[in-house]
């Protein structure tokens, strides 16, 4: 593993070293899916309505780029779905954080309309689809999961993350473990090459595609050497995504990516260092210090970690001095104690009594 100090020299966000050997890659085009606002219903779209089929129309929310997928292309997409009549949302892959894999021409019957819409989209395109019930869940609907009423037209908010034209319709579930890990690794390599060219968004797109091959359902089935092989691809993709996010100043997302790695490997120095960097920028000083201290324990000679801890200490010192000056300005110097009026009255009264006593004694002696 590369020294964390090297990461600091590359603005603390370099990709994992040793992953940049030249390889032959499969053709793929991808865009990172982003979680849209989860409002009460489908998004309001004013763009032109495009008729794709008698029962399928499309309105573009965000333009994509490149080519459109052809028949048997393996597509990865995020989507939310509503029954139009009730506005009931019955599916949301963004919230599940697991893209849908859809092979054009081999989709399930209830996704025929969705597939027609996806077939018309470019990578990165975000669109609203209207699908008639005949090309969705049909006359009977679905009373299990998802729960869709009978004869329900469906509204889909869809983002095409990317697609692979070379798979010849071979879905992830039909691949061997080695094939899936290999496919993910190739996309990781592509991401690293894009990162070197400072194409950060495009690099993250490749990493997300790679992670999609390493979904929870797949990882749950692995053990021993196969799990180690999968994690050797999956974890660097999360770390490299975090590296991109740090450069893009998207610190909360970087923290989430590092935390995924630390859930599998609590002693991962890169994950601790990058999460500490993000937390430090967000002002989460205590949490950042905890990450850096643990990283220093694992890599005691690393100068970058020591430098970050020093920066935190200097920052806290500066904050303390600023607060000290602020409070001094608010309240001013501490006033000197003033003698109370009551004290002076007591002194005068005691002096008068003494004087009266002396005069009284003198008069008494004179009378005698």
């Amino acid at each position: 593993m590369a020294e964390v100090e090297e990461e600091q020299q590359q603005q603390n966000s370099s990709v994992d070293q040793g992953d940049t050997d030249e390889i032959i890659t499969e053709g793929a085009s991808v865009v990172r899916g982003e979680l849209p606002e989860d409002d009460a219903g489908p998004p309001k779209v004013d763009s032109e309505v495009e008729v794709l089929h008698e029962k399928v129309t499309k309105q573009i929310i965000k333009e994509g780029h490149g080519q459109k997928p052809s028949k048997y292309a393996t597509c990865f997409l995020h989507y939310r779905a509503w029954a139009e009549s009730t506005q009931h949302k019955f599916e949301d892959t963004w919230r599940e954080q697991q893209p849908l894999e859809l092979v054009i021409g081999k989709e399930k019957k209830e996704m025929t309309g969705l597939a027609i819409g996806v077939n018309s989209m470019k990578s990165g395109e975000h669109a609203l689809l209207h699908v008639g019930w005949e090309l969705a869940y049909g006359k009977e609907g679905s009373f299990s999961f998802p729960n869709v009423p009978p004869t329900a037209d469906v509204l889909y908010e869809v983002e095409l993350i990317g697609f692979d034209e070379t798979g010849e319709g071979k879905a992830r579930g039909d691949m061997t473990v080695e094939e899936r890990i290999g496919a993910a690794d190739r996309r990781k390599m592509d991401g690293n090459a894009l990162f070197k060219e400072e194409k950060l968004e495009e690099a993250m797109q490749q990493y997300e595609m790679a992670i999609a091959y390493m979904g929870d359902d797949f990882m749950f089935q692995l053990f021993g050497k196969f799990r180690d092989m999968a994690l050797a691809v999956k974890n660097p993709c999360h770390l490299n995504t975090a590296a991109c996010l740090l450069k893009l100043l998207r610190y909360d997302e970087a923290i989430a990516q590092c935390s995924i790695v630390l859930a599998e490997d609590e002693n991962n120095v890169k994950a601790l260092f990058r999460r500490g960097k993000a937390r430090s920028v967000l002002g989460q000083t205590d949490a950042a210090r905890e990450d850096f201290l643990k990283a220093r324990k694992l890599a005691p000679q690393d100068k970058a970690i020591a430098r970050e801890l020093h920066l935190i200490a200097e920052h806290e010192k500066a904050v303390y001095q600023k607060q000290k000056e602020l409070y001094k300005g608010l309240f001013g110097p501490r006033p000197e104690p003033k003698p109370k009026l009551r004290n002076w009255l007591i002194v005068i009264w005691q002096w008068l009594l003494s004087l009266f006593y002396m005069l009284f004694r003198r008069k008494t002696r004179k009378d005698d």
Side-chain angles (χ1 to χ4, degrees):
M1 186 175 72
E3 291 294 326
V4 181
E5 185 174 2
E6 294 176 7
E7 299 174 89
Q8 180 74 14
Q9 295 171 353
Q10 299 183 29
Q11 300 182 17
N12 301 306
S13 55
S14 63
V15 297
D16 283 356
Q17 303 301 311
D19 293 338
T20 56
D21 296 336
E22 185 176 356
I23 58 168
I24 299 174
T25 60
E26 298 180 40
S29 179
V30 292
V31 170
R32 178 176 174 78
E34 295 183 358
L35 180 66
E37 293 184 7
D38 188 10
D39 52 17
K44 306 299 181 184
V45 185
D46 298 326
S47 60
E48 183 181 352
V49 176
E50 180 182 357
V51 178
L52 305 177
H53 181 277
E54 184 183 358
K55 298 296 181 180
V56 182
T57 62
K58 180 180 78 170
Q59 290 176 279
I60 296 177
I61 299 172
K62 176 186 174 184
E63 295 283 353
H65 61 84
Q67 303 298 314
K68 299 176 182 178
S70 59
K71 190 173 183 179
Y72 301 131
T74 302
C75 302
F76 292 90
L77 57 131
H78 275 302
Y79 75 99
R80 296 195 292 173
W82 295 264
E84 185 179 29
S85 58
T86 63
Q87 297 289 290
H88 166 65
K89 184 176 71 174
F90 60 83
E91 196 78 88
D92 189 340
T93 64
W94 275 291
R95 190 148 305 283
E96 296 166 5
Q97 298 183 348
Q98 182 62 51
L100 172 72
E101 178 188 27
L102 181 69
V103 178
I104 302 295
K106 293 188 175 182
E107 68 278 353
K108 296 178 181 178
K109 183 179 179 181
E110 62 268 21
M111 291 188 173
T112 303
L114 176 62
I116 292 172
V118 172
N119 197 196
S120 74
M121 298 172 69
K122 299 178 181 179
S123 293
E125 185 175 323
H126 195 168
L128 181 68
L129 303 177
H130 181 283
V131 177
W133 61 266
E134 296 89 344
L135 299 181
Y137 287 84
K139 188 175 182 179
E140 302 298 327
S142 174
F143 292 95
S144 57
F145 181 84
N147 185 7
V148 185
T151 62
D153 292 345
V154 177
L155 293 172
Y156 291 101
E157 181 185 2
V158 184
E159 183 177 15
L160 178 58
I161 300 170
F163 58 89
D164 181 9
E165 292 283 11
T166 65
E168 298 181 355
K170 194 170 187 179
R172 288 175 297 178
D174 297 328
M175 294 181 178
T176 65
V177 172
E178 292 88 344
E179 286 175 332
R180 284 183 72 158
I181 295 174
D185 190 54
R186 286 189 289 274
R187 283 158 181 78
K188 182 190 71 174
M189 295 287 198
D190 289 346
N192 291 351
L194 289 164
F195 182 91
K196 285 186 174 182
E197 297 174 10
E198 292 293 322
K199 297 178 179 178
L200 303 180
E201 291 285 353
E202 290 88 343
M204 288 196 297
Q205 294 160 9
Q206 294 293 338
Y207 297 141
E208 185 176 22
M209 188 72 134
I211 292 169
Y213 278 94
M214 305 282 107
D216 291 341
D217 56 337
F218 176 69
M219 297 298 297
F220 182 75
Q221 302 173 45
L222 302 181
F223 59 91
K225 72 172 185 177
F226 289 115
R227 184 171 180 81
D228 293 339
M229 288 169 58
L231 288 175
V233 175
K234 183 175 183 288
N235 283 349
C237 287
H238 287 296
L239 288 172
N240 295 345
T241 299
C244 295
L245 292 167
L246 283 172
K247 279 197 168 187
L248 293 170
L249 312 183
R250 291 158 59 177
Y251 301 112
D252 286 321
E253 294 173 76
I255 290 171
Q257 292 292 324
C258 293
S259 296
I260 291 172
V261 176
L262 290 167
E264 290 284 353
D265 178 10
E266 63 180 358
N267 294 325
N268 189 294
V269 176
K270 283 190 176 183
L272 290 166
F273 182 82
R274 292 174 184 173
R275 189 172 72 174
K277 281 287 296 181
R279 285 174 163 177
S280 180
V281 175
L282 291 175
Q284 301 171 11
T285 308
D286 291 339
R289 185 191 296 105
E290 183 180 344
D291 282 340
F292 288 134
L293 287 173
K294 186 170 183 179
R296 185 176 67 177
K297 186 177 180 181
L298 297 165
Q301 302 301 320
D302 196 283
K303 295 179 181 179
I305 297 172
R307 183 161 47 248
E308 292 299 328
L309 286 168
H310 176 72
L311 288 173
I312 287 178
E314 289 296 312
H315 173 72
E316 289 185 327
K317 182 178 178 181
V319 170
Y320 171 76
Q321 289 293 80
K322 187 175 181 180
Q323 290 176 340
K324 185 178 178 181
E325 292 297 322
L326 177 63
Y327 292 142
K328 182 179 178 180
L330 286 174
F331 301 108
R334 185 174 179 179
E336 293 293 331
K338 296 180 180 180
K340 295 181 180 180
L341 180 62
R342 182 181 176 186
N343 292 341
W344 283 106
L345 290 174
I346 292 173
V347 172
I348 293 172
W349 175 248
Q350 289 176 340
W351 180 78
L352 289 174
L353 286 177
S354 299
L355 179 63
F356 178 78
Y357 179 73
M358 289 173 61
L359 291 173
F360 176 77
R361 289 286 301 274
R362 186 178 296 177
K363 184 177 184 303
T364 304
R365 290 175 181 174
K366 186 177 179 181
D367 291 342
D368 292 343

